């Protein structure tokens, strides 16, 4: 039996959204699913296991309700997959910038240059551009709460500013 301060997951209550952490999950009528009032994600409920799974995303993330907060449920291959994502992100970020820097170092300009050469500046710009791209992909794939909340706020501002 659950302690008094903990509440079990049921369709008649509302809960904080585990995806964006800004809105509230409310039951969708005639279904075993919840919808967030802020980010509008749909989460299928498994009341026996006290879990919800996001169904409108490419990554089927699952959260478990412990009576007070959500905890992300990791799959069997989560650790290996996370290592693969980190390795790929490092390669996509470091290798292009390293190639730009290396080509500037191997073939330096003929005239003396200031401390920061064009190739070094270009390597930094390449690093920042690729890092931005990788962070965007990770945010989209893993549905990071800060990223989802910022995306929803930007979308709402755009819609409210239209005539």
């Amino acid at each position: 039996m659950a302690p008094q301060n903990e509440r079990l997951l049921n369709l008649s209550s509302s809960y904080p959204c585990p995806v964006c952490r800004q809105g509230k999950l409310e039951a969708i009528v005639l279904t075993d699913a919840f919808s967030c009032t802020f980010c509008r994600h749909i989460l299928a409920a498994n009341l026996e296991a006290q879990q919800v799974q996001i169904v409108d995303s490419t990554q089927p993330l699952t959260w478990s309700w412990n009576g007070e907060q959500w905890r992300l449920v990791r799959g069997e291959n989560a650790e290996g997959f996370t290592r693969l994502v980190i390795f790929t992100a490092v390669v996509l970020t470091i290798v292009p910038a390293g190639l730009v820097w290396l080509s500037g170092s191997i073939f330096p300009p003929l005239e003396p240059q200031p401390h920061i050469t064009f190739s070094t500046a270009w390597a930094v710009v390449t690093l920042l551009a690729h890092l931005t791209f990788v962070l965007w992909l990770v945010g989209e794939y893993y549905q990071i709460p800060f990223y989802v909340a910022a995306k929803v706020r930007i979308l709402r501002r755009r819609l409210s500013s239209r005539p």
Side-chain angles (χ1 to χ4, degrees):
M1 183 177 248
Q4 293 295 340
N5 61 350
E6 291 184 358
R7 57 186 179 146
L8 295 176
L9 185 65
N10 62 44
L11 295 173
S12 61
S13 298
S14 64
Y15 303 92
C17 179
V19 180
C20 67
R21 297 184 183 169
Q22 302 292 319
K24 292 218 178 275
L25 291 182
E26 294 180 353
I28 300 174
V29 179
L30 298 175
T31 65
D32 287 339
F34 290 99
S35 174
C36 178
T37 58
F38 186 76
C39 67
R40 304 287 187 211
H41 279 293
I42 297 173
L43 294 101
N46 181 349
L47 299 178
E48 293 81 29
Q50 296 289 295
Q51 293 180 344
V52 293
Q53 181 178 20
I54 191 165
V55 294
D56 62 347
S57 176
T58 57
Q59 175 71 3
L61 298 173
T62 303
W63 290 271
S64 177
W65 179 249
N66 68 4
E68 296 177 8
Q69 64 184 5
W70 295 104
R71 298 194 64 174
L72 184 63
V73 176
R74 305 235 183 244
E76 294 138 9
N77 297 331
E79 188 174 319
F81 186 71
T82 302
R83 287 182 185 158
L84 176 66
V85 168
I86 290 171
F87 175 75
T88 305
V90 167
V91 167
L92 287 175
T93 305
I94 300 296
V95 170
L99 288 174
V100 170
W101 176 81
L102 184 64
S103 65
S105 297
I106 292 174
F107 306 107
L110 298 176
E111 298 175 8
Q113 295 289 324
H115 293 291
I116 298 178
T117 62
F118 177 76
S119 61
T120 304
W122 191 256
V124 170
V125 169
T126 304
L127 178 76
L128 293 176
H130 284 249
L131 181 63
T132 302
F133 181 67
V134 164
L135 291 176
W136 171 72
L137 285 174
V138 168
E140 279 291 328
Y141 189 74
Y142 284 112
Q143 294 292 308
I144 298 171
F146 171 76
Y147 174 77
V148 172
K151 189 168 74 168
V152 170
R153 285 191 181 114
I154 290 169
L155 181 64
R156 284 191 177 174
R157 274 193 206 137
R158 283 185 186 168
L159 292 176
S160 66
S161 66
R162 288 186 179 173

